[in-house]
Amino acid sequence: MKKLLGLSVITAVLLSGCGEVQISINKDQDVESKEVVSNKNDNEKVELMNDGSESEEVTDADKQKAILQFINEEIYKVAEYEVVAFQSLASVSGVNYTDDPTVYNELTSNTIPAYEKALKEAKGIEAEIPELEVMTDRIVTATQTFYDALILEKKAIEDQDEGLINQSNAKIEEYYKLVEAYHSDMRLLAEKYDVTYDLNEPKQNVEEL
């Protein structure tokens, strides 16, 4: 039976842009932000969303932190489960492929359960600022697409249907395009708020800002 296309080179593409973002804040803006915070009660939190409209008190520094938290925490949770699923799938695909029963067992026992958790995390993301709502939708769509590819692969093995294999491959290609679009749009959003979206730099904690 035809093997799943490209699985030998599958990588955690969400993780490649996750937890590896630098923040560059304008110094004058940072001072202004600190002055605003100093006038608040220590226990009061700035509301980033208010009845669907952006709060007047939300500064660019607040948005920078929201973007960083989105990538380093929310997306990271999704990507962690993706890594598990991708490694599981790669262990029986490509050069590691032996037979369909082995692939099926790995899919049902490890790959799909791990990716179900990734999809659940993606659907649980709540955008703290309106600008991140589109990014959230992209992640949900991408993870749902890859999950659908896994289910199609499982069904293809059960039915020995090469047509379903082709559909699964098409879903995987669609997934990569969706994630690529996410990274592209996220980079543009980051630049808008003086965030350097560097995929090679170490993770920076929100509390460091």
Side-chain angles (χ1 to χ4, degrees), residues 18-22 68-69 71-74 76-77 80 198 200-206 208:
C18 169
E20 300 177 343
V21 179
Q22 287 182 306
L68 185 63
Q69 180 175 330
I71 298 168
N72 284 352
E73 297 182 16
E74 302 297 338
Y76 191 82
K77 293 176 183 177
E80 282 186 313
D198 192 331
N200 297 312
E201 291 296 327
K203 179 177 178 179
Q204 180 178 357
N205 196 296
V206 175
E208 294 175 5

Side-chain angles (χ1 to χ4, degrees), residues 4 112 132 135 139 147 168 192:
L4 201 58
I112 291 175
L132 288 174
M135 302 298 104
I139 292 300
Y147 179 75
S168 179
K192 180 179 179 181

Side-chain angles (χ1 to χ4, degrees), residues 9-34:
V9 293
I10 276 184
T11 56
V13 290
L14 280 184
L15 188 62
S16 66
C18 169
E20 300 177 343
V21 179
Q22 287 182 306
I23 294 294
S24 174
I25 299 178
N26 180 283
K27 291 183 179 180
D28 293 334
Q29 176 185 309
D30 191 42
V31 171
E32 179 183 349
S33 175
K34 289 180 180 179

